[in-house]
Amino acid sequence: MSRRKDHPAGGPVFLAYFSRPGENYSYGGRTFLTVGNTKLLADKIAARLDCDVYRIEAADPYPDDYDATVARNVREQEDEARPAIAGPLPSALSWQRYGTVLLGSPVWNVAAPMIMRTFAEALDFRGKTVAPFTTHAMSGLGTAPKDYATSCPGATIAIGLAVRGEEAGDPATDTAVDTWLHDLGLIGERS
């Protein structure tokens, strides 16, 4: 993480995301990604902001195989699992300084992966603005905003950004990212 300056929306911004490379759905077929779609989108967002960035990584990494990941995700959803996160979370002292938290993930089976709930439930979001961003095949934001409203009590859930996974790295996505960040009050008008 790097230390950055405040934003007009109320304090420093924290961007946390989970992304999975490997075999992914792509336009009805499969493709192998060396960099996950959500990381591509998170990188676009971070390049436009002064923010601290935290990559959420599973202590037990998800497999590269698409079908195996889908099966694991279904089990985790059915079990209401909270997969462990590798590495330390932000300290309570540093966490309290953030005003806005951008939470990014893919949408799996219409919801953010359960590891996002692990992250959200481990920290105190009271008084913070939470803005979700997702990559998806066809589910948009899915249930992420509703899930974060439950997992982040006391937070204000702001508008989200949903980008098709296949389009996450496309230059055409830049306009959607800029518009979303502007609407959140995190960047000014595009020049």
Side-chain angles (χ1 to χ4, degrees), residues 85-166:
I85 294 174
L89 292 171
S91 72
L93 184 60
S94 69
W95 182 249
Q96 68 187 6
R97 62 190 286 273
Y98 298 106
T100 301
V101 180
L102 309 178
L103 291 179
S105 73
V107 172
W108 291 349
N109 195 25
V110 192
M114 297 305 285
I115 197 165
M116 295 304 292
R117 292 191 196 182
T118 303
F119 179 84
E121 292 170 359
L123 298 164
D124 182 359
F125 281 82
R126 285 176 293 175
K128 298 185 187 313
T129 298
V130 173
F133 65 95
T134 64
T135 56
H136 65 93
M138 61 185 107
S139 300
L141 287 167
T143 61
K146 178 178 70 81
D147 297 336
Y148 295 144
T150 300
S151 299
C152 306
T156 299
I157 308 301
I159 57 171
L161 172 68
V163 172
R164 282 186 61 99
E166 300 91 339

Side-chain angles (χ1 to χ4, degrees), residues 26-38:
S26 179
Y27 296 114
R30 305 284 170 81
T31 190
F32 190 87
L33 303 175
T34 56
V35 176
N37 292 322
T38 307

